């Protein structure tokens, strides 16, 4: 299970492959924390390849939303199928998240991905300074 990640303009696009469940939720949270530490604040989570989110997946989405809000950033969910849209409506989480159904977000040229247990490999075109490997991550 991986979460391909790409940069489109000033927005970080993370693709949710397959399912967002208890077994991979912390990988997604770590990806967002790492990007926030790099100064990123605009995120799109692309559910075009996902068909299922369990309760722990919903929980991590709420947690990630709060982390992004702390830096006055934005988090938009895109490409949800009808079942996932219904899930957000039934849980009333449609009031917490922003949704964009206007266009597909393609990430075939993703610059990096993270799998469960793997540290993300980061390739950046800019020379922005990266946090030191021993530097503390923002509080969870």
């Amino acid at each position: 299970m991986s979460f391909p990640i790409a940069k489109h303009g000033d927005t970080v696009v993370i693709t949710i492959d397959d399912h967002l469940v208890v077994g991979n939720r912390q990988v997604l949270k770590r990806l967002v924390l790492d990007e926030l530490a790099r100064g990123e604040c605009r995120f799109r989570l692309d559910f075009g390849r996902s068909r299922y989110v369990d309760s722990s997946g919903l929980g991590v989405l709420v947690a990630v939303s709060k982390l992004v809000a702390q830096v006055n950033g934005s988090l938009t969910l895109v490409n949800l199928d009808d079942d996932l849209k219904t899930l957000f409506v039934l849980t009333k989480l449609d009031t917490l998240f922003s949704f964009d159904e206007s266009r597909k977000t393609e990430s075939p040229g993703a610059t990096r991905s993270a799998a469960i247990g793997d540290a993300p490999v980061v390739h950046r075109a800019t020379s922005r300074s990266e946090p030191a490997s021993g530097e503390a991550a923002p509080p969870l």
Side-chain angles (χ1 to χ4, degrees), residues 1-8 11-19 24 27-28 31-32 35 43-47 49-50 105-116 120-121:
M1 176 73 55
S2 66
F3 296 102
I5 183 169
K7 185 86 185 273
H8 294 277
T11 303
V12 175
V13 178
I14 301 172
T15 302
I16 310 299
D17 275 344
D18 199 25
H19 303 313
N24 64 3
V27 175
L28 177 62
L31 277 174
V32 173
E35 293 300 319
F43 295 88
R44 291 174 67 88
L45 298 182
D46 185 348
F47 286 84
R49 298 183 196 168
S50 179
T105 303
E106 300 295 332
S107 56
T111 56
R112 56 199 182 276
S113 66
I116 297 174
V121 177

Side-chain angles (χ1 to χ4, degrees), residues 14-67:
I14 301 172
T15 302
I16 310 299
D17 275 344
D18 199 25
H19 303 313
L20 180 57
V21 295
V22 67
N24 64 3
R25 74 188 191 285
Q26 292 302 327
V27 175
L28 177 62
K29 188 173 184 178
R30 175 53 44 204
L31 277 174
V32 173
L33 283 169
D34 289 348
E35 293 300 319
L36 287 169
R38 288 184 186 94
E40 301 294 346
C41 63
R42 293 178 48 92
F43 295 88
R44 291 174 67 88
L45 298 182
D46 185 348
F47 286 84
R49 298 183 196 168
S50 179
R51 298 293 170 253
Y52 181 74
V53 177
D54 72 5
S55 60
S56 63
L58 290 174
V60 81
L61 291 174
V62 171
V64 164
S65 174
K66 289 179 181 181
L67 292 169

Side-chain angles (χ1 to χ4, degrees), residues 61-77:
L61 291 174
V62 171
V64 164
S65 174
K66 289 179 181 181
L67 292 169
V68 171
Q70 288 175 354
V71 298
N72 295 316
S74 67
L75 176 68
T76 304
L77 308 183

